[in-house]
C-alpha cells in the first residue's frame, strides 16, 4: 500500500508486528553471509522439511547477522511466554532434533547459546510453557543469564540486525522504521534536522570521524539547485564486515537515514556505492529500494510533504582506493577512480561539480534512531568528544569473534576479554590493530585504553571503519607491518609519487628486515619515510598508509632491533630467521618426521637420532607438526644454533 501519512504507517506497523510476534511458535535462521558460509541455508532447508514432516504449527523466517559469528549458524526459537531461545552452531541433524523436541513440547537445552538458570528445572519450564499454551496466560518465565558476548554491547546501528527479516519493510516499520522520516518531514525544518544531528555529537563512522551535522550544514549552505547524497559502502579493510552486515540485516535503516539527510541538505538524488563482492547486500538493497518505491517512501511527494527523492545503486569493482570519497565520486561518474586535491571539498563541489554529502553505512544507520529518540538521548552515550556507539569487527586470535557494537569510551580490555572472552589457547595477548590497513598497532600494556577517536589517535592508531584485529604472542610485529604494507602498496592508485614510490620503499625495507637482511639505519629510514609519506600524500589512503609501520616502531622498536641486529624473530614467524632441529636427547628414531618431510631434508633410520639438513630445509614445519607430543623432539628456534650430531647415531638406551 502507499504510505501517505502517519495513520498509514501505523496500519503497516500493525501488520509488521504480527509478522515479528505471530502469537505462535516461530523459528528464525540467521541468513547473512557469515551464517550462509557456515551452513545456514542447509539448516534452513532442513528446518522447513522437518516442520512440514512433523506437521509442527510454526512459522519459519529468515533474518540477518546477530553478531556472534563465532557461533554460526544461529537459530532463534520464539515460544509465546518464554524468552527467546538461541541455538548455536546448528547443523541439519541438530535442526531435526530441535523440531522433533518442539513437537513433543521439549527444548534441546544442550544446543542453546546460554543455559537455563540452574534453580529452574527444564521440565518446570515446559510446564509453564504448556500452561501458557492451554490458557493463554503468558507466565512469568525465569530469565537467562546474559551471554557475556552481548552483556556490554549497546545496539543502535545494529538494532534490527538478527531480529527482523531484512526483506520485510513491514517488520522494519514495526520496529519504528520510517517514523523518523515522517517526523522530519512533517515536524522539523531542514535546519532543525541538521541542528539535531549536530547536538547529538554523531561523527562519521567511516574513518576520520568528522562531525556529521557540520558536514551536512556545509552542504546545505552550498549555493546550487542540484545536490547529491551518497552512501559509501565500499568496505575494503581486511577482516572488516560492519557495513556488509548492516546492509544484509537492516537495509531500510540506511535508506531512511539517507532520506532524512537528503531532506536536510536539499537533495533529491542519491547513490549507494557498494562493492560488487557483496552480492547478498546488493540483493537486499535492491529489494529495499523496490519496496520503498512501492510504498511511496521513495520517489515523489513522500508523506505528502512535497519532498522528492530517488536512489540508485552503483557497484564498485573492489578497488580499496574507492573508499576515499573523491575516488568514489570519480567511480560513480565513470572516470578513473583516483583521488583529487581538496579543497574544494565534496560539500562544495562533488559529483559532476555539484555539492555532495557522503557518509558511510553505519553513519546513515544511526540517523533514524537519533531523530526518533532525540539528540539528548544519543549524546549521553559515549564520551565528551566521541558520542554514541561504534560497531567493530572483532577478529584474530580472540575466542569470540564477531560483530560488536559498544559505547565509545569502553576499554580495549572490556572488548577483548569481557566480550571476546580472551585469547585463544590461553596464549598471551600481545597487541591489537585498529582501523584496518590505515590504522595502528596498540601494545598489550595499553589494554586499559578507552576506545574513542582522540585516545586512539594519541597512541598512533585510528578508529577507521571499525576493524579490530587481536594478536597473540605468536604474532610477529614486523610481519604484521609487512602484511598491511603489502595490501596498501597493491591498492595504491599510483597517482601520488609519495604514496606510489614511498609504499614500495617501505615494503622493500620491511621485506629485507624479515629476511634477516636488515641494516643499520633501517629503523630511522622507515620513520623518516613514513612521516614524509603522511605529509606529502594527496588522499587519506596515502596519509594513513605508514600508520602500521610508525605505530609498530613506536611501541615495538625492540622487535625491529631483534630482527636487524640479532637476526632473530622473537615470535618465530619470519622463515628466513628460524631453524628446525631434532633434539638428540629426545629423538626416539621413530622415522615419522623422516617419512613426512616433503623435501627429504631429514636423514636417519629406525632407532637412530634423526638430523635435519639445514641447507635443504624449507622451514615448512612439517617435522614439528608430526612429531609425537610424547617425544617433543623437534625444536623451532630463531637466532640460536643447537648442537646436533654430524651424522645419525643410535638413540640413547637403544641396542
Amino acid at each position: 500500500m502507499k504510505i501517505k501519512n502517519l495513520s498509514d504507517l501505523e496500519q503497516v506497523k500493525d501488520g509488521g508486528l504480527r509478522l515479528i510476534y505471530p502469537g505462535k511458535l516461530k523459528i528464525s535462521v540467521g541468513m547473512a553471509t557469515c551464517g550462509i558460509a557456515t551452513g545456514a541455508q542447509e539448516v534452513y532447508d532442513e528446518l522447513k522439511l522437518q516442520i512440514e514432516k512433523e506437521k509442527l504449527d510454526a512459522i519459519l523466517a529468515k533474518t540477518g547477522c546477530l553478531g556472534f559469528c563465532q557461533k554460526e549458524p544461529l537459530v532463534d526459537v520464539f515460544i509465546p511466554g518464554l524468552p527467546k531461545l538461541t541455538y548455536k552452531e546448528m547443523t541439519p541433524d541438530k535442526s531435526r532434533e530441535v523440531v522433533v523436541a518442539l513437537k513433543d513440547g521439549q527444548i534441546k537445552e544442550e544446543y542453546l547459546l546460554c543455559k537455563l538458570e540452574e534453580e529452574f528445572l527444564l521440565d518446570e519450564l515446559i510446564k509453564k510453557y504448556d500452561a501458557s499454551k492451554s490458557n493463554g496466560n503468558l507466565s512469568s518465565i525465569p530469565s537467562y543469564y546474559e551471554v557475556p558476548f552481548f552483556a556490554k554491547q549497546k545496539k543502535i546501528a545494529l538494532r534490527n540486525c538478527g531480529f527482523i527479516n531484512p526483506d520485510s519493510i513491514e517488520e522494519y516499520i514495526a520496529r519504528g522504521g520510517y517514523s523518523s522520516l515522517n517526523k522530519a518531514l512533517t515536524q522539523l525544518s531542514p535546519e532543525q534536522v541538521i541542528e539535531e544531528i549536530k547536538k547529538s555529537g554523531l561523527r562519521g563512522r567511516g574513518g576520520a570521524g568528522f562531525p556529521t551535522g557540520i558536514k551536512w550544514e556545509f552542504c546545505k549552505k552550498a549555493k546550487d539547485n542540484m545536490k547529491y547524497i551518497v552512501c559509501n559502502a565500499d568496505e575494503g579493510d581486511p577482516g572488516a564486515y560492519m557495513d556488509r552486515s548492516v546492509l544484509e540485516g537492516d537495509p531500510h535503516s540506511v535508506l531512511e537515514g539517507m532520506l532524512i539527510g537528503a531532506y536536510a541538505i536539499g537533495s533529491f538524488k542519491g547513490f549507494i556505492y557498494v562493492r560488487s563482492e557483496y552480492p547478498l547486500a546488493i540483493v537486499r538493497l535492491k529489494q529495499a529500494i523496490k519496496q520503498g518505491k512501492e510504498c511511496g517512501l521513495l520517489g515523489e511527494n513522500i508523506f505528502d510533504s512535497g519532498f522528492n527523492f530517488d536512489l540508485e545503486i552503483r557497484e564498485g569493482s573492489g578497488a580499496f582506493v574507492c573508499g576515499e570519497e573523491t575516488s568514489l565520486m570519480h567511480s560513480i561518474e565513470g572516470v578513473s577512480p583516483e583521488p583529487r586535491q581538496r579543497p574544494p571539498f565534496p560539500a562544495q563541489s562533488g559529483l559532476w561539480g555539484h555539492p555532495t554529502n557522503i557518509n558511510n553505512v553505519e553513519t546513515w544507520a544511526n540517523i533514524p534512531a537519533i531523530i526518533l529518540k532525540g539528540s539528548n538521548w544519543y549524546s549521553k552515550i559515549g564520551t565528551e568528544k566521541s558520542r554514541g556507539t561504534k560497531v567493530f569487527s572483532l577478529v584474530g586470535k580472540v575466542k569470540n569473534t564477531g560483530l560488536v557494537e559498544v559505547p565509545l569510551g569502553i576499554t580495549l580490555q572490556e572488548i577483548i576479554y569481557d566480550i571476546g572472552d580472551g585469547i585463544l589457547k590461553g596464549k598471551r595477548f600481545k597487541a591489537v590493530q585498529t582501523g584496518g590497513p590505515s590504522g595502528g598497532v596498540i601494545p598489550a600494556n595499553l589494554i586499559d585504553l578507552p576506545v574513542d577517536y582522540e585516545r586512539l589517535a594519541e597512541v598512533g592508531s585510528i578508529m577507521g571503519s571499525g576493524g579490530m584485529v587481536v594478536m597473540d604472542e605468536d604474532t610477529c610485529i614486523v610481519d604484521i607491518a609487512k602484511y598491511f604494507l603489502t595490501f596498501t602498496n597493491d591498492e595504491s592508485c599510483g597517482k601520488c609519487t609519495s604514496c606510489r614510490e614511498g609504499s614500495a620503499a617501505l615494503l622493500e625495507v620491511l621485506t629485507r628486515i624479515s629476511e634477516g637482511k636488515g641494516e643499520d639505519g633501517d629503523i630511522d629510514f622507515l620513520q623518516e619515510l613514513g612521516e614524509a609519506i603522511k605529509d606529502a600524500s594527496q588522499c587519506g589512503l596515502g596519509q594513513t598508509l605508514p600508520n602500521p609501520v610508525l605505530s609498530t616502531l613506536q611501541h615495538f622498536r625492540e622487535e625491529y632491533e631483534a630482527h636487524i641486529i640479532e637476526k632473530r624473530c622473537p615470535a618465530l614467524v619470519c622463515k628466513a630467521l628460524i631453524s628446525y632441529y631434532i633434539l638428540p636427547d629426545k629423538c626416539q628414531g621413530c622415522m615419522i618426521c623422516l617419512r613426512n618431510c616433503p623435501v627429504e631434508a631429514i636423514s636417519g633410520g629406525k632407532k637412530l637420532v634423526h638430523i635435519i639438513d639445514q641447507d635443504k630445509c624449507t622451514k615448512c614445519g612439517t617435522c614439528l607438526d608430526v612429531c609425537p607430543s610424547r617425544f617433543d623432539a623437534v625444536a623451532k628456534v630463531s637466532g640460536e644454533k643447537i648442537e646436533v650430531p654430524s651424522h645419525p647415531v643410535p638413540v640413547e638406551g637403544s641396542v
Side-chain angles (χ1 to χ4, degrees):
M1 64 173 285
K2 292 287 185 181
I3 300 173
K4 290 291 187 179
N5 49 50
L6 192 57
S7 176
D8 292 342
L9 200 64
E10 289 296 324
Q11 186 177 338
V12 175
K13 182 176 182 178
D14 289 341
L17 285 170
R18 287 192 293 272
L19 291 172
I20 296 176
Y21 308 107
K24 59 191 275 188
L25 179 65
K26 177 182 174 183
I27 302 174
S28 183
V29 184
M31 299 286 281
T33 295
C34 51
I36 293 171
T38 54
Q41 185 64 59
E42 291 79 6
V43 167
Y44 182 90
D45 293 342
E46 184 64 29
L47 285 168
K48 183 178 179 182
L49 179 67
Q50 292 303 318
I51 288 171
E52 293 172 355
K53 179 181 177 182
E54 298 292 335
K55 295 182 173 54
L56 186 65
D57 185 18
I59 291 174
L60 182 62
K62 298 180 181 180
T63 186
C65 175
L66 186 63
F68 207 167
C69 306
Q70 183 75 31
K71 302 298 182 182
E72 292 278 9
L74 292 170
V75 173
D76 287 334
V77 174
F78 300 86
I79 302 173
L82 291 183
K84 179 179 72 172
L85 306 173
T86 299
Y87 290 91
K88 63 180 180 180
E89 299 168 338
M90 292 299 286
T91 64
D93 288 343
K94 289 180 181 178
S95 301
R96 191 178 309 115
E97 293 179 44
V98 167
V99 171
V100 171
L102 288 169
K103 178 64 186 290
D104 295 335
Q106 297 176 355
I107 298 170
K108 292 294 291 185
E109 189 181 9
E110 60 267 38
Y111 301 151
L112 290 175
L113 183 61
C114 58
K115 301 302 180 185
L116 301 173
E117 294 183 349
E118 289 87 349
E119 63 265 31
F120 290 95
L121 298 175
L122 187 58
D123 59 354
E124 181 182 345
L125 197 63
I126 295 301
K127 286 178 184 177
K128 293 194 175 190
Y129 167 49
D130 289 339
S132 70
K133 283 198 299 183
S134 62
N135 60 28
N137 176 31
L138 301 184
S139 307
S140 175
I141 302 298
S143 63
Y144 283 71
Y145 285 127
E146 281 194 299
V147 179
F149 182 81
F150 297 110
K152 291 196 172 182
Q153 293 194 48
K154 185 174 181 63
K155 297 197 174 187
I156 299 176
L158 300 179
R159 59 193 176 276
N160 293 322
C161 292
F163 188 78
I164 66 169
N165 180 348
D167 289 330
S168 172
I169 191 171
E170 294 87 358
E171 291 192 26
Y172 177 71
I173 290 173
R175 296 272 291 175
Y178 291 107
S179 297
S180 297
L181 178 62
N182 178 269
K183 179 180 178 180
L185 295 183
T186 62
Q187 299 178 35
L188 303 173
S189 68
E191 292 77 12
Q192 287 174 316
V193 171
I194 291 174
E195 188 60 29
E196 197 70 3
I197 300 302
K198 285 170 64 177
K199 285 165 56 181
S200 74
L202 175 67
R203 297 169 67 169
R205 296 299 193 241
F210 191 82
T212 304
I214 294 176
K215 194 174 189 179
W216 288 15
E217 191 171 53
F218 287 156
C219 203
K220 168 71 174 172
K221 291 180 178 179
K223 304 296 184 183
D224 198 316
N225 291 328
M226 185 65 191
K227 297 178 182 179
Y228 293 101
I229 283 280
V230 175
C231 174
N232 182 349
D234 189 68
E235 185 175 50
D237 292 0
Y241 51 97
M242 298 76 62
D243 293 351
R244 188 197 74 204
S245 295
V246 173
L247 295 176
E248 291 178 354
D250 191 20
H252 281 286
S253 67
V254 178
L255 268 57
E256 186 177 9
M258 294 182 72
L259 280 156
I260 294 169
Y263 169 70
I265 72 165
S267 168
F268 55 84
K269 180 68 177 181
F271 296 93
I272 300 178
Y273 187 89
V274 57
R275 53 181 41 233
S276 57
E277 293 96 332
Y278 284 1
L280 182 57
I282 293 170
V283 167
R284 290 184 174 165
L285 274 173
K286 287 180 177 178
Q287 172 72 357
I289 291 173
K290 178 174 178 286
Q291 290 174 339
K293 290 179 177 179
E294 289 173 349
C295 292
L297 298 171
L298 275 173
E300 296 182 357
N301 197 24
I302 300 169
F303 280 120
D304 277 340
S305 65
F307 171 62
N308 307 324
F309 186 71
D310 191 25
L311 194 57
E312 289 184 28
I313 296 173
R314 291 292 173 90
E315 296 182 33
S317 57
F320 181 67
V321 74
C322 287
E324 193 277 330
E325 59 184 13
T326 61
S327 300
L328 180 152
M329 290 189 297
H330 283 154
S331 183
I332 291 176
E333 292 170 342
V335 298
S336 179
E338 293 180 345
R340 64 164 169 79
Q341 199 74 39
R342 294 177 295 179
F345 293 95
Q348 282 77 45
S349 178
L351 282 172
W352 297 286
H354 298 291
T356 303
N357 184 88
I358 304 174
N359 289 115
N360 86 320
V361 169
E362 186 182 341
T363 310
W364 289 122
N366 273 284
I367 299 300
I370 293 172
I371 295 300
L372 190 63
K373 295 188 176 183
S375 58
N376 288 338
W377 162 77
Y378 190 83
S379 63
K380 290 176 183 176
I381 305 166
T383 66
E384 183 180 354
K385 294 183 178 179
S386 297
R387 309 285 189 182
T389 61
K390 180 72 189 78
V391 181
F392 293 98
S393 57
L394 185 63
V395 297
K397 301 298 181 68
V398 65
K399 290 179 184 176
N400 290 338
T401 60
L403 206 64
V404 304
E405 184 172 5
V406 292
L408 286 167
I410 192 173
T411 65
L412 289 170
Q413 167 86 32
E414 291 173 285
I415 295 175
I416 295 169
Y417 282 91
D418 295 346
I419 297 174
D421 197 28
I423 309 304
L424 284 167
K425 300 178 181 178
K427 297 277 188 175
R428 178 177 57 84
F429 169 60
K430 183 172 185 175
V432 61
Q433 201 265 359
T434 69
S438 302
V441 179
I442 303 169
N445 66 301
L446 295 178
I447 189 139
D448 292 321
L449 184 79
V451 178
D452 63 28
Y453 289 94
E454 287 71 33
R455 298 303 297 277
L456 290 178
E458 287 172 9
V459 297
S461 191
I462 61 173
M463 187 78 71
S465 59
M468 188 171 284
V469 183
V470 179
M471 307 172 200
D472 67 7
E473 60 192 85
D474 295 332
T475 303
C476 173
I477 293 300
V478 175
D479 186 64
I480 281 293
K482 186 177 75 170
Y483 167 79
F484 283 112
L485 258 293
T486 300
F487 178 84
T488 47
N489 184 61
D490 288 344
E491 294 293 343
S492 173
C493 75
K495 183 177 181 180
C496 297
T497 303
S498 55
C499 179
R500 181 183 68 246
E501 302 298 332
S503 63
L506 286 175
L507 181 57
E508 187 273 327
V509 174
L510 289 170
T511 301
R512 277 200 296 101
I513 292 174
S514 69
E515 292 175 348
K517 302 173 184 175
E519 302 171 356
D520 220 13
D522 277 350
I523 292 178
D524 291 338
F525 176 78
L526 289 172
Q527 184 75 40
E528 292 172 11
L529 179 57
E531 296 290 353
I533 294 170
K534 286 182 70 172
D535 293 340
S537 293
Q538 215 178 58
C539 80
L541 188 153
Q543 292 160 8
T544 57
L545 179 148
N547 281 351
V549 178
L550 296 176
S551 64
T552 51
L553 286 174
Q554 177 184 351
H555 300 297
F556 295 94
R557 187 183 182 94
E558 72 284 354
E559 197 156 328
Y560 279 88
E561 291 173 344
H563 281 73
I564 296 170
I565 300 170
E566 303 171 31
K567 308 301 179 187
R568 178 174 65 88
C569 176
L572 302 176
V573 170
C574 299
K575 276 191 173 184
L577 298 178
I578 61 174
S579 300
Y580 291 88
Y581 291 94
I582 297 175
L583 303 174
D585 59 333
K586 292 188 176 183
C587 179
Q588 300 299 306
C590 68
M591 300 183 63
I592 293 176
C593 63
L594 185 151
R595 288 195 297 266
N596 283 276
C597 179
V599 293
E600 300 181 348
I602 299 176
S603 59
K606 191 172 183 179
K607 293 297 182 181
L608 294 177
V609 171
H610 297 355
I611 298 171
I612 298 175
D613 186 331
Q614 297 298 325
D615 292 331
K616 287 184 178 180
C617 180
T618 59
K619 321 291 179 68
C620 68
T622 300
C623 54
L624 182 63
D625 294 337
V626 301
C627 181
S629 58
R630 65 183 183 276
F631 300 153
D632 194 22
V634 179
K636 180 182 180 182
V637 299
S638 180
E640 62 177 297
K641 185 176 180 181
I642 296 177
E643 292 297 326
V644 297
S646 58
H647 59 278
V649 297
V651 171
E652 186 176 347
S654 65
V655 178

